[in-house]
Amino acid sequence: EPEVTQTPSHQVTQMGQEVILRCVPISNHLYFYWYRQILGQKVEFLVSFYNNEISEKSEIFDDQFSVERPDGSNFTLKIRSTKLEDSAMYFCASPQGIRTEAFFGQGTRLTVV
Amino acid sequence: QKEVEQDPGPLSVPEGAIVSLNCTYSNSAFQYFMWYRQYSRKGPELLMYTYSSGNKEDGRFTAQVDKSSKYISLFIRDSQPSDSATYLCAMGGGGADGLTFGKGTHLIIQP
């Protein structure tokens, strides 16, 4: 199965600090997504990214969030000023197109203290 | 409003049984459907992808979609203890607005 790689696997940060979560999507895929899963809750869509710009974003994805593709392979999610309620698993997903199979990374567990 | 309903379980069955997992949805804009398996604190692992109504089989897994009833199912034959996990249904529409997930069913296969 194609592999999506996420780093770090676990990050602990203090409230108010900035964090950057990293993803290496599948190399020939065109769309990149970030999802969030708060412990015990549903996986929730945050944002989709295509052709170096945001395609869609959910109401969760407010001004404290941003996404970038700083080079040809990495894809990042930045949370500018973390809050306690940002504690969750964050998943990067890489489908080939907008209606195809979506492969998920193993996630970054973010703990805000 | 997009909504996907899935019984969270737990669903406990003996080894070798046929397992049936289901989701219902309300938004007729959903066009494609996936089933994922998730272990605790891990990423969702894609099991099945279907685009149209009907059945799709892959090994011990069969995915079934009934768009007229807005109902999807995943069947697991000859269930094994290693199948114990949380099973997530997910579905998407025609745009780039990502998948909408069910809450997941926690499945336990008893040896």
Side-chain angles (χ1 to χ4, degrees):
Chain A
E1 183 179 296
E3 191 168 322
V4 177
T5 305
Q6 289 187 244
T7 55
S9 58
H10 185 200
Q11 180 150 2
V12 181
T13 189
Q14 292 211 327
M15 193 169 52
Q17 295 297 304
E18 175 182 285
V19 295
I20 297 176
L21 312 182
R22 292 181 168 80
C23 170
V24 179
I26 298 166
S27 61
N28 61 344
H29 286 195
L30 305 177
Y31 282 83
F32 315 112
Y33 291 74
W34 284 101
Y35 290 83
R36 178 182 82 176
Q37 186 178 31
I38 295 170
L39 187 64
Q41 297 189 23
K42 292 184 180 186
V43 176
E44 300 173 290
F45 167 72
L46 291 177
V47 65
S48 61
F49 194 82
Y50 171 73
N51 201 25
N52 291 324
E53 61 182 33
I54 291 174
S55 290
E56 298 281 349
K57 58 183 181 179
S58 72
E59 56 194 24
I60 302 169
F61 193 88
D62 60 22
D63 291 344
Q64 69 163 338
F65 292 94
S66 62
V67 291
E68 281 186 355
R69 196 166 186 212
D71 56 44
S73 59
N74 290 291
F75 178 45
T76 63
L77 175 69
K78 182 190 291 185
I79 309 175
R80 257 180 281 282
S81 178
T82 50
K83 304 190 282 282
L84 294 176
E85 54 265 38
D86 294 327
S87 295
M89 290 289 291
Y90 288 82
F91 297 110
C92 172
S94 175
Q96 191 167 33
I98 59 173
R99 298 189 191 87
T100 63
E101 299 94 320
F103 298 97
F104 281 71
Q106 288 299 301
T108 293
R109 180 155 65 105
L110 176 66
T111 303
V112 182
V113 297
Chain B
Q1 183 180 0
K2 296 179 182 179
E3 187 106 38
V4 177
E5 299 293 331
Q6 186 176 10
D7 186 340
L11 174 63
S12 184
V13 301
E15 183 176 355
I18 295 175
V19 175
S20 173
L21 304 166
N22 311 293
C23 288
T24 60
Y25 62 97
S26 55
N27 191 337
S28 56
F30 289 136
Q31 298 182 24
Y32 57 99
F33 307 87
M34 298 184 215
W35 284 95
Y36 289 88
R37 179 171 60 196
Q38 187 179 33
Y39 297 105
S40 181
R41 297 188 184 275
K42 298 293 184 185
E45 175 193 2
L46 180 65
L47 293 175
M48 299 288 283
Y49 167 87
T50 52
Y51 189 81
S52 56
S53 283
N55 293 356
K56 181 177 180 180
E57 190 173 316
D58 184 1
R60 295 186 297 114
F61 298 94
T62 299
Q64 194 172 77
V65 172
D66 183 348
K67 288 187 178 180
S68 62
S69 301
K70 297 188 177 64
Y71 188 88
I72 68 170
S73 300
L74 178 71
F75 300 95
I76 307 174
R77 289 183 297 281
D78 187 25
S79 55
Q80 305 295 313
S82 57
D83 294 328
S84 299
T86 297
Y87 288 79
L88 312 175
C89 64
M91 43 200 80
D97 54 349
L99 298 170
T100 301
F101 280 80
K103 201 168 182 181
T105 298
H106 182 205
L107 175 65
I108 301 167
I109 307 297
Q110 299 170 332

PDB file of all heavy atoms in Angstrom, chain B residues 71-102:
ATOM      1  N   TYR B  71     -27.360   3.715   2.450  1.00  0.00           N
ATOM      2  CA  TYR B  71     -26.936   2.694   3.407  1.00  0.00           C
ATOM      3  C   TYR B  71     -25.739   1.961   2.825  1.00  0.00           C
ATOM      4  O   TYR B  71     -25.773   1.539   1.668  1.00  0.00           O
ATOM      5  CB  TYR B  71     -28.112   1.724   3.597  1.00  0.00           C
ATOM      6  CG  TYR B  71     -27.975   0.695   4.679  1.00  0.00           C
ATOM      7  CD1 TYR B  71     -28.369   0.971   5.976  1.00  0.00           C
ATOM      8  CD2 TYR B  71     -27.472  -0.575   4.395  1.00  0.00           C
ATOM      9  CE1 TYR B  71     -28.271   0.019   6.975  1.00  0.00           C
ATOM     10  CE2 TYR B  71     -27.363  -1.535   5.386  1.00  0.00           C
ATOM     11  CZ  TYR B  71     -27.773  -1.236   6.671  1.00  0.00           C
ATOM     12  OH  TYR B  71     -27.674  -2.186   7.661  1.00  0.00           O
ATOM     13  N   ILE B  72     -24.670   1.849   3.626  1.00  0.00           N
ATOM     14  CA  ILE B  72     -23.522   1.089   3.175  1.00  0.00           C
ATOM     15  C   ILE B  72     -23.147   0.063   4.222  1.00  0.00           C
ATOM     16  O   ILE B  72     -23.414   0.249   5.425  1.00  0.00           O
ATOM     17  CB  ILE B  72     -22.309   1.988   2.834  1.00  0.00           C
ATOM     18  CG1 ILE B  72     -21.729   2.656   4.083  1.00  0.00           C
ATOM     19  CG2 ILE B  72     -22.713   3.045   1.803  1.00  0.00           C
ATOM     20  CD1 ILE B  72     -20.397   3.349   3.805  1.00  0.00           C
ATOM     21  N   SER B  73     -22.545  -1.026   3.763  1.00  0.00           N
ATOM     22  CA  SER B  73     -22.180  -2.114   4.664  1.00  0.00           C
ATOM     23  C   SER B  73     -20.796  -2.636   4.326  1.00  0.00           C
ATOM     24  O   SER B  73     -20.336  -2.528   3.192  1.00  0.00           O
ATOM     25  CB  SER B  73     -23.173  -3.276   4.528  1.00  0.00           C
ATOM     26  OG  SER B  73     -24.483  -2.880   4.841  1.00  0.00           O
ATOM     27  N   LEU B  74     -20.167  -3.208   5.333  1.00  0.00           N
ATOM     28  CA  LEU B  74     -18.915  -3.951   5.159  1.00  0.00           C
ATOM     29  C   LEU B  74     -19.119  -5.295   5.827  1.00  0.00           C
ATOM     30  O   LEU B  74     -19.508  -5.367   6.996  1.00  0.00           O
ATOM     31  CB  LEU B  74     -17.739  -3.221   5.805  1.00  0.00           C
ATOM     32  CG  LEU B  74     -16.397  -3.953   5.712  1.00  0.00           C
ATOM     33  CD1 LEU B  74     -15.875  -3.927   4.269  1.00  0.00           C
ATOM     34  CD2 LEU B  74     -15.353  -3.336   6.647  1.00  0.00           C
ATOM     35  N   PHE B  75     -18.869  -6.361   5.063  1.00  0.00           N
ATOM     36  CA  PHE B  75     -18.950  -7.710   5.592  1.00  0.00           C
ATOM     37  C   PHE B  75     -17.543  -8.297   5.686  1.00  0.00           C
ATOM     38  O   PHE B  75     -16.746  -8.146   4.758  1.00  0.00           O
ATOM     39  CB  PHE B  75     -19.820  -8.602   4.699  1.00  0.00           C
ATOM     40  CG  PHE B  75     -21.236  -8.113   4.572  1.00  0.00           C
ATOM     41  CD1 PHE B  75     -21.613  -7.317   3.505  1.00  0.00           C
ATOM     42  CD2 PHE B  75     -22.188  -8.433   5.533  1.00  0.00           C
ATOM     43  CE1 PHE B  75     -22.916  -6.851   3.387  1.00  0.00           C
ATOM     44  CE2 PHE B  75     -23.493  -7.977   5.417  1.00  0.00           C
ATOM     45  CZ  PHE B  75     -23.856  -7.174   4.348  1.00  0.00           C
ATOM     46  N   ILE B  76     -17.280  -8.941   6.798  1.00  0.00           N
ATOM     47  CA  ILE B  76     -16.008  -9.626   6.984  1.00  0.00           C
ATOM     48  C   ILE B  76     -16.314 -11.100   7.183  1.00  0.00           C
ATOM     49  O   ILE B  76     -17.016 -11.472   8.134  1.00  0.00           O
ATOM     50  CB  ILE B  76     -15.231  -9.085   8.210  1.00  0.00           C
ATOM     51  CG1 ILE B  76     -15.084  -7.563   8.128  1.00  0.00           C
ATOM     52  CG2 ILE B  76     -13.861  -9.744   8.298  1.00  0.00           C
ATOM     53  CD1 ILE B  76     -14.462  -6.946   9.384  1.00  0.00           C
ATOM     54  N   ARG B  77     -15.799 -11.935   6.289  1.00  0.00           N
ATOM     55  CA  ARG B  77     -16.012 -13.391   6.412  1.00  0.00           C
ATOM     56  C   ARG B  77     -14.862 -14.005   7.194  1.00  0.00           C
ATOM     57  O   ARG B  77     -13.751 -13.460   7.225  1.00  0.00           O
ATOM     58  CB  ARG B  77     -16.062 -14.026   5.025  1.00  0.00           C
ATOM     59  CG  ARG B  77     -17.300 -13.712   4.227  1.00  0.00           C
ATOM     60  CD  ARG B  77     -17.280 -14.449   2.895  1.00  0.00           C
ATOM     61  NE  ARG B  77     -16.165 -14.019   2.064  1.00  0.00           N
ATOM     62  CZ  ARG B  77     -16.165 -12.895   1.362  1.00  0.00           C
ATOM     63  NH1 ARG B  77     -17.208 -12.085   1.398  1.00  0.00           N
ATOM     64  NH2 ARG B  77     -15.122 -12.566   0.624  1.00  0.00           N
ATOM     65  N   ASP B  78     -15.143 -15.136   7.806  1.00  0.00           N
ATOM     66  CA  ASP B  78     -14.114 -15.897   8.525  1.00  0.00           C
ATOM     67  C   ASP B  78     -13.292 -14.957   9.424  1.00  0.00           C
ATOM     68  O   ASP B  78     -12.073 -14.855   9.324  1.00  0.00           O
ATOM     69  CB  ASP B  78     -13.192 -16.611   7.530  1.00  0.00           C
ATOM     70  CG  ASP B  78     -12.208 -17.555   8.203  1.00  0.00           C
ATOM     71  OD1 ASP B  78     -12.511 -18.022   9.319  1.00  0.00           O
ATOM     72  OD2 ASP B  78     -11.123 -17.795   7.628  1.00  0.00           O
ATOM     73  N   SER B  79     -13.979 -14.263  10.288  1.00  0.00           N
ATOM     74  CA  SER B  79     -13.327 -13.237  11.111  1.00  0.00           C
ATOM     75  C   SER B  79     -12.247 -13.844  12.008  1.00  0.00           C
ATOM     76  O   SER B  79     -12.377 -14.976  12.504  1.00  0.00           O
ATOM     77  CB  SER B  79     -14.367 -12.495  11.944  1.00  0.00           C
ATOM     78  OG  SER B  79     -15.126 -13.401  12.724  1.00  0.00           O
ATOM     79  N   GLN B  80     -11.174 -13.061  12.189  1.00  0.00           N
ATOM     80  CA  GLN B  80     -10.006 -13.477  12.965  1.00  0.00           C
ATOM     81  C   GLN B  80      -9.801 -12.512  14.134  1.00  0.00           C
ATOM     82  O   GLN B  80     -10.168 -11.339  14.046  1.00  0.00           O
ATOM     83  CB  GLN B  80      -8.766 -13.458  12.083  1.00  0.00           C
ATOM     84  CG  GLN B  80      -8.876 -14.284  10.809  1.00  0.00           C
ATOM     85  CD  GLN B  80      -9.002 -15.755  11.117  1.00  0.00           C
ATOM     86  OE1 GLN B  80      -8.250 -16.282  11.930  1.00  0.00           O
ATOM     87  NE2 GLN B  80      -9.957 -16.428  10.480  1.00  0.00           N
ATOM     88  N   PRO B  81      -9.174 -12.964  15.207  1.00  0.00           N
ATOM     89  CA  PRO B  81      -8.881 -12.032  16.307  1.00  0.00           C
ATOM     90  C   PRO B  81      -8.104 -10.798  15.846  1.00  0.00           C
ATOM     91  O   PRO B  81      -8.296  -9.710  16.398  1.00  0.00           O
ATOM     92  CB  PRO B  81      -8.061 -12.891  17.274  1.00  0.00           C
ATOM     93  CG  PRO B  81      -8.563 -14.279  17.034  1.00  0.00           C
ATOM     94  CD  PRO B  81      -8.836 -14.359  15.557  1.00  0.00           C
ATOM     95  N   SER B  82      -7.270 -10.948  14.818  1.00  0.00           N
ATOM     96  CA  SER B  82      -6.507  -9.800  14.303  1.00  0.00           C
ATOM     97  C   SER B  82      -7.401  -8.768  13.614  1.00  0.00           C
ATOM     98  O   SER B  82      -6.942  -7.655  13.329  1.00  0.00           O
ATOM     99  CB  SER B  82      -5.432 -10.270  13.330  1.00  0.00           C
ATOM    100  OG  SER B  82      -6.014 -11.014  12.268  1.00  0.00           O
ATOM    101  N   ASP B  83      -8.643  -9.131  13.338  1.00  0.00           N
ATOM    102  CA  ASP B  83      -9.589  -8.154  12.775  1.00  0.00           C
ATOM    103  C   ASP B  83     -10.148  -7.224  13.847  1.00  0.00           C
ATOM    104  O   ASP B  83     -10.858  -6.259  13.524  1.00  0.00           O
ATOM    105  CB  ASP B  83     -10.767  -8.877  12.098  1.00  0.00           C
ATOM    106  CG  ASP B  83     -10.354  -9.666  10.863  1.00  0.00           C
ATOM    107  OD1 ASP B  83      -9.405  -9.244  10.174  1.00  0.00           O
ATOM    108  OD2 ASP B  83     -10.973 -10.722  10.610  1.00  0.00           O
ATOM    109  N   SER B  84      -9.845  -7.492  15.087  1.00  0.00           N
ATOM    110  CA  SER B  84     -10.325  -6.627  16.172  1.00  0.00           C
ATOM    111  C   SER B  84      -9.726  -5.235  16.019  1.00  0.00           C
ATOM    112  O   SER B  84      -8.502  -5.064  16.002  1.00  0.00           O
ATOM    113  CB  SER B  84      -9.937  -7.223  17.531  1.00  0.00           C
ATOM    114  OG  SER B  84     -10.517  -8.494  17.712  1.00  0.00           O
ATOM    115  N   ALA B  85     -10.578  -4.245  15.883  1.00  0.00           N
ATOM    116  CA  ALA B  85     -10.155  -2.864  15.617  1.00  0.00           C
ATOM    117  C   ALA B  85     -11.408  -2.003  15.577  1.00  0.00           C
ATOM    118  O   ALA B  85     -12.517  -2.500  15.764  1.00  0.00           O
ATOM    119  CB  ALA B  85      -9.416  -2.765  14.281  1.00  0.00           C
ATOM    120  N   THR B  86     -11.210  -0.726  15.302  1.00  0.00           N
ATOM    121  CA  THR B  86     -12.338   0.159  15.037  1.00  0.00           C
ATOM    122  C   THR B  86     -12.463   0.336  13.525  1.00  0.00           C
ATOM    123  O   THR B  86     -11.463   0.590  12.850  1.00  0.00           O
ATOM    124  CB  THR B  86     -12.150   1.523  15.722  1.00  0.00           C
ATOM    125  OG1 THR B  86     -12.122   1.332  17.142  1.00  0.00           O
ATOM    126  CG2 THR B  86     -13.287   2.465  15.370  1.00  0.00           C
ATOM    127  N   TYR B  87     -13.675   0.173  13.013  1.00  0.00           N
ATOM    128  CA  TYR B  87     -13.929   0.275  11.575  1.00  0.00           C
ATOM    129  C   TYR B  87     -14.697   1.565  11.302  1.00  0.00           C
ATOM    130  O   TYR B  87     -15.756   1.808  11.893  1.00  0.00           O
ATOM    131  CB  TYR B  87     -14.702  -0.948  11.085  1.00  0.00           C
ATOM    132  CG  TYR B  87     -13.813  -2.171  11.066  1.00  0.00           C
ATOM    133  CD1 TYR B  87     -13.538  -2.858  12.253  1.00  0.00           C
ATOM    134  CD2 TYR B  87     -13.199  -2.601   9.901  1.00  0.00           C
ATOM    135  CE1 TYR B  87     -12.684  -3.950  12.262  1.00  0.00           C
ATOM    136  CE2 TYR B  87     -12.349  -3.695   9.892  1.00  0.00           C
ATOM    137  CZ  TYR B  87     -12.085  -4.361  11.082  1.00  0.00           C
ATOM    138  OH  TYR B  87     -11.234  -5.438  11.095  1.00  0.00           O
ATOM    139  N   LEU B  88     -14.124   2.367  10.433  1.00  0.00           N
ATOM    140  CA  LEU B  88     -14.683   3.671  10.105  1.00  0.00           C
ATOM    141  C   LEU B  88     -15.262   3.646   8.701  1.00  0.00           C
ATOM    142  O   LEU B  88     -14.587   3.199   7.764  1.00  0.00           O
ATOM    143  CB  LEU B  88     -13.604   4.759  10.152  1.00  0.00           C
ATOM    144  CG  LEU B  88     -12.680   4.820  11.355  1.00  0.00           C
ATOM    145  CD1 LEU B  88     -11.615   5.894  11.134  1.00  0.00           C
ATOM    146  CD2 LEU B  88     -13.467   5.134  12.614  1.00  0.00           C
ATOM    147  N   CYS B  89     -16.474   4.145   8.542  1.00  0.00           N
ATOM    148  CA  CYS B  89     -16.962   4.395   7.193  1.00  0.00           C
ATOM    149  C   CYS B  89     -16.689   5.866   6.892  1.00  0.00           C
ATOM    150  O   CYS B  89     -16.650   6.709   7.797  1.00  0.00           O
ATOM    151  CB  CYS B  89     -18.441   4.066   7.056  1.00  0.00           C
ATOM    152  SG  CYS B  89     -19.545   5.078   8.048  1.00  0.00           S
ATOM    153  N   ALA B  90     -16.481   6.148   5.623  1.00  0.00           N
ATOM    154  CA  ALA B  90     -16.210   7.519   5.203  1.00  0.00           C
ATOM    155  C   ALA B  90     -16.792   7.704   3.814  1.00  0.00           C
ATOM    156  O   ALA B  90     -16.841   6.768   3.017  1.00  0.00           O
ATOM    157  CB  ALA B  90     -14.705   7.795   5.189  1.00  0.00           C
ATOM    158  N   MET B  91     -17.234   8.895   3.533  1.00  0.00           N
ATOM    159  CA  MET B  91     -17.828   9.146   2.232  1.00  0.00           C
ATOM    160  C   MET B  91     -17.553  10.556   1.769  1.00  0.00           C
ATOM    161  O   MET B  91     -17.313  11.467   2.586  1.00  0.00           O
ATOM    162  CB  MET B  91     -19.326   8.856   2.262  1.00  0.00           C
ATOM    163  CG  MET B  91     -20.076   9.346   3.445  1.00  0.00           C
ATOM    164  SD  MET B  91     -21.656   8.453   3.652  1.00  0.00           S
ATOM    165  CE  MET B  91     -21.128   6.940   4.443  1.00  0.00           C
ATOM    166  N   GLY B  92     -17.579  10.725   0.442  1.00  0.00           N
ATOM    167  CA  GLY B  92     -17.254  12.025  -0.119  1.00  0.00           C
ATOM    168  C   GLY B  92     -18.171  12.368  -1.276  1.00  0.00           C
ATOM    169  O   GLY B  92     -18.780  11.491  -1.898  1.00  0.00           O
ATOM    170  N   GLY B  93     -18.242  13.664  -1.539  1.00  0.00           N
ATOM    171  CA  GLY B  93     -19.056  14.155  -2.642  1.00  0.00           C
ATOM    172  C   GLY B  93     -18.209  14.467  -3.854  1.00  0.00           C
ATOM    173  O   GLY B  93     -17.196  13.858  -4.087  1.00  0.00           O
ATOM    174  N   GLY B  94     -18.625  15.444  -4.621  1.00  0.00           N
ATOM    175  CA  GLY B  94     -17.943  15.695  -5.878  1.00  0.00           C
ATOM    176  C   GLY B  94     -16.809  16.686  -5.804  1.00  0.00           C
ATOM    177  O   GLY B  94     -16.084  16.877  -6.762  1.00  0.00           O
ATOM    178  N   GLY B  95     -16.631  17.329  -4.649  1.00  0.00           N
ATOM    179  CA  GLY B  95     -15.619  18.373  -4.588  1.00  0.00           C
ATOM    180  C   GLY B  95     -14.403  17.976  -3.788  1.00  0.00           C
ATOM    181  O   GLY B  95     -14.179  16.812  -3.509  1.00  0.00           O
ATOM    182  N   ALA B  96     -13.622  18.971  -3.406  1.00  0.00           N
ATOM    183  CA  ALA B  96     -12.387  18.713  -2.660  1.00  0.00           C
ATOM    184  C   ALA B  96     -12.575  18.953  -1.171  1.00  0.00           C
ATOM    185  O   ALA B  96     -11.609  19.219  -0.457  1.00  0.00           O
ATOM    186  CB  ALA B  96     -11.278  19.627  -3.192  1.00  0.00           C
ATOM    187  N   ASP B  97     -13.835  18.816  -0.708  1.00  0.00           N
ATOM    188  CA  ASP B  97     -14.094  19.135   0.693  1.00  0.00           C
ATOM    189  C   ASP B  97     -13.915  17.967   1.630  1.00  0.00           C
ATOM    190  O   ASP B  97     -14.469  17.929   2.709  1.00  0.00           O
ATOM    191  CB  ASP B  97     -15.483  19.754   0.857  1.00  0.00           C
ATOM    192  CG  ASP B  97     -16.578  18.897   0.274  1.00  0.00           C
ATOM    193  OD1 ASP B  97     -16.250  17.931  -0.436  1.00  0.00           O
ATOM    194  OD2 ASP B  97     -17.754  19.190   0.543  1.00  0.00           O
ATOM    195  N   GLY B  98     -13.153  16.988   1.211  1.00  0.00           N
ATOM    196  CA  GLY B  98     -12.750  15.938   2.122  1.00  0.00           C
ATOM    197  C   GLY B  98     -13.838  14.938   2.408  1.00  0.00           C
ATOM    198  O   GLY B  98     -14.964  15.038   1.936  1.00  0.00           O
ATOM    199  N   LEU B  99     -13.479  13.958   3.199  1.00  0.00           N
ATOM    200  CA  LEU B  99     -14.372  12.881   3.555  1.00  0.00           C
ATOM    201  C   LEU B  99     -15.140  13.231   4.824  1.00  0.00           C
ATOM    202  O   LEU B  99     -14.621  13.926   5.705  1.00  0.00           O
ATOM    203  CB  LEU B  99     -13.569  11.602   3.807  1.00  0.00           C
ATOM    204  CG  LEU B  99     -12.786  11.059   2.604  1.00  0.00           C
ATOM    205  CD1 LEU B  99     -11.849   9.943   3.046  1.00  0.00           C
ATOM    206  CD2 LEU B  99     -13.736  10.565   1.528  1.00  0.00           C
ATOM    207  N   THR B 100     -16.354  12.710   4.892  1.00  0.00           N
ATOM    208  CA  THR B 100     -17.141  12.770   6.123  1.00  0.00           C
ATOM    209  C   THR B 100     -17.144  11.376   6.716  1.00  0.00           C
ATOM    210  O   THR B 100     -17.505  10.408   6.042  1.00  0.00           O
ATOM    211  CB  THR B 100     -18.574  13.240   5.840  1.00  0.00           C
ATOM    212  OG1 THR B 100     -18.527  14.541   5.242  1.00  0.00           O
ATOM    213  CG2 THR B 100     -19.373  13.324   7.121  1.00  0.00           C
ATOM    214  N   PHE B 101     -16.729  11.291   7.963  1.00  0.00           N
ATOM    215  CA  PHE B 101     -16.560   9.997   8.612  1.00  0.00           C
ATOM    216  C   PHE B 101     -17.702   9.687   9.562  1.00  0.00           C
ATOM    217  O   PHE B 101     -18.309  10.594  10.158  1.00  0.00           O
ATOM    218  CB  PHE B 101     -15.268   9.997   9.441  1.00  0.00           C
ATOM    219  CG  PHE B 101     -14.024   9.765   8.652  1.00  0.00           C
ATOM    220  CD1 PHE B 101     -13.433  10.786   7.937  1.00  0.00           C
ATOM    221  CD2 PHE B 101     -13.432   8.509   8.620  1.00  0.00           C
ATOM    222  CE1 PHE B 101     -12.278  10.574   7.205  1.00  0.00           C
ATOM    223  CE2 PHE B 101     -12.271   8.280   7.901  1.00  0.00           C
ATOM    224  CZ  PHE B 101     -11.695   9.318   7.193  1.00  0.00           C
ATOM    225  N   GLY B 102     -17.965   8.381   9.720  1.00  0.00           N
ATOM    226  CA  GLY B 102     -18.748   7.922  10.839  1.00  0.00           C
ATOM    227  C   GLY B 102     -17.877   7.880  12.076  1.00  0.00           C
ATOM    228  O   GLY B 102     -16.643   8.036  11.998  1.00  0.00           O
TER     229      GLY B 102
END
